[in-house]
Amino acid sequence: MSSADAEHREEEEPLAGDDEDTGAQVAPIVRLEEVAVSTGEENEDAILDLKAKLYRFDKDGNQWKERGAGTVKLLKHKESSKVRLVMRQSKTLKICANHLVLPKMTVQEHAGNEKSCVWHATDFADGELKEELFCIRFASIENNRLFMEKFQEVAESQEPEGESEDANAAAGLLETLKVEEKETTAEKKDEEAAPAAVKEEEKDIKSDKAAEESLSST
């Protein structure tokens, strides 16, 4: 066999381990387990779920600034029936808006744009309460109208519990004042009655002394 034939045969023979299936199974170094992620929305039902882009008005710069694009939801709590607006960015799921829909809130169409609307809210998206002016823009006029109608419907359906609590507190305070007034009046009557009783006692003592003196003189 010539040296050329030997080299050709070596080229044709596959190298051990290149594409050979050994049947060995390699266990993963780290085993990942499923973890339940809590969104905080487990006790709420979504009554509205739409894709949109949210803006907030920057007072310092006197301009609108984008907060994020994602899904805006109106969530109704199963026990308290409170409704809050929550919006998260589509990719990062970061919260853009998070506030209750209260009775006095109003939403109105943004001037010159039928796909957008604006409203004021005390928002908690950044972990602290802030007064914000929001503007939201939808892909269609229909979605914008649906959002406005549902938002206004929820606001009007919410009971002004803050006012009722204030009224109850005021009523309780009035009851307390009435009780205190009754006690004070009774105390005043007792105080007024005390001197009269003392005077009567003094009269009785004087009359007793006079009677004793008259008896001794006889």
Side-chain angles (χ1 to χ4, degrees), residues 159-171:
E159 295 181 0
E161 292 187 2
E163 295 179 4
S164 63
E165 289 174 359
D166 292 342
N168 292 335

Side-chain angles (χ1 to χ4, degrees), residues 1-214:
M1 179 184 298
S2 64
S3 60
D5 292 339
E7 290 178 2
H8 182 67
R9 181 169 293 181
E10 287 178 1
E11 290 176 0
E12 288 180 350
E13 291 179 356
L15 296 174
D18 278 356
D19 295 323
E20 186 178 354
D21 185 8
T22 61
Q25 295 182 355
V26 180
I29 299 174
V30 179
R31 186 169 184 176
L32 300 177
E33 296 181 358
E34 291 186 3
V35 178
V37 179
S38 175
T39 62
E41 303 173 8
E42 288 76 15
N43 294 325
E44 296 169 304
D45 294 323
I47 57 179
L48 186 73
D49 189 335
L50 296 171
K51 291 188 179 297
K53 184 175 286 188
L54 185 70
Y55 302 83
R56 60 173 288 273
F57 189 74
D58 180 18
K59 295 179 181 178
D60 296 332
N62 196 29
Q63 61 180 338
W64 289 101
K65 287 191 175 181
E66 184 178 333
R67 289 281 284 181
T71 302
V72 61
K73 297 180 181 179
L74 291 178
L75 302 173
K76 185 175 183 179
H77 198 276
K78 295 177 181 179
E79 295 180 3
S80 66
S81 296
K82 293 278 190 182
V83 178
R84 65 170 177 148
L85 182 148
V86 177
M87 182 168 179
R88 298 175 184 268
Q89 293 183 8
S90 56
K91 294 182 180 179
T92 63
L93 299 181
K94 181 181 178 181
I95 295 178
C96 307
N98 180 21
H99 65 79
L100 289 174
V101 180
L102 301 176
K104 295 181 180 179
M105 284 185 174
T106 57
V107 60
Q108 57 186 2
E109 187 177 292
H110 189 41
N113 193 336
E114 295 182 346
K115 297 181 181 179
S116 302
C117 58
V118 296
W119 73 95
H120 282 92
T122 305
D123 189 64
F124 196 70
D126 295 331
E128 59 179 338
L129 290 174
K130 290 182 181 179
E131 292 293 329
E132 298 281 12
L133 174 59
F134 286 120
C135 176
I136 195 166
R137 188 176 68 192
F138 296 92
S140 66
I141 298 173
E142 290 75 15
N143 282 353
N144 185 46
R145 288 177 180 171
L146 176 61
F147 174 83
M148 292 177 62
E149 290 173 2
K150 201 65 180 178
F151 189 106
Q152 206 64 52
E153 178 185 329
V154 168
E156 293 172 359
S157 68
Q158 296 297 297
E159 295 181 0
E161 292 187 2
E163 295 179 4
S164 63
E165 289 174 359
D166 292 342
N168 292 335
L173 180 60
L174 288 174
E175 287 297 325
T176 305
L177 291 174
K178 286 179 182 178
V179 172
E180 290 176 353
E181 287 174 359
K182 287 177 183 177
E183 291 176 350
T184 305
T185 304
E187 288 173 0
K188 285 182 179 179
K189 287 182 179 178
D190 293 339
E191 289 175 358
E192 292 172 355
V198 171
K199 288 179 181 179
E200 288 295 329
E201 276 188 58
E202 289 176 351
K203 285 181 181 180
D204 293 339
I205 292 170
K206 286 180 180 179
S207 61
D208 291 341
K209 283 184 179 182
E212 288 176 0
E213 289 175 355
S214 63

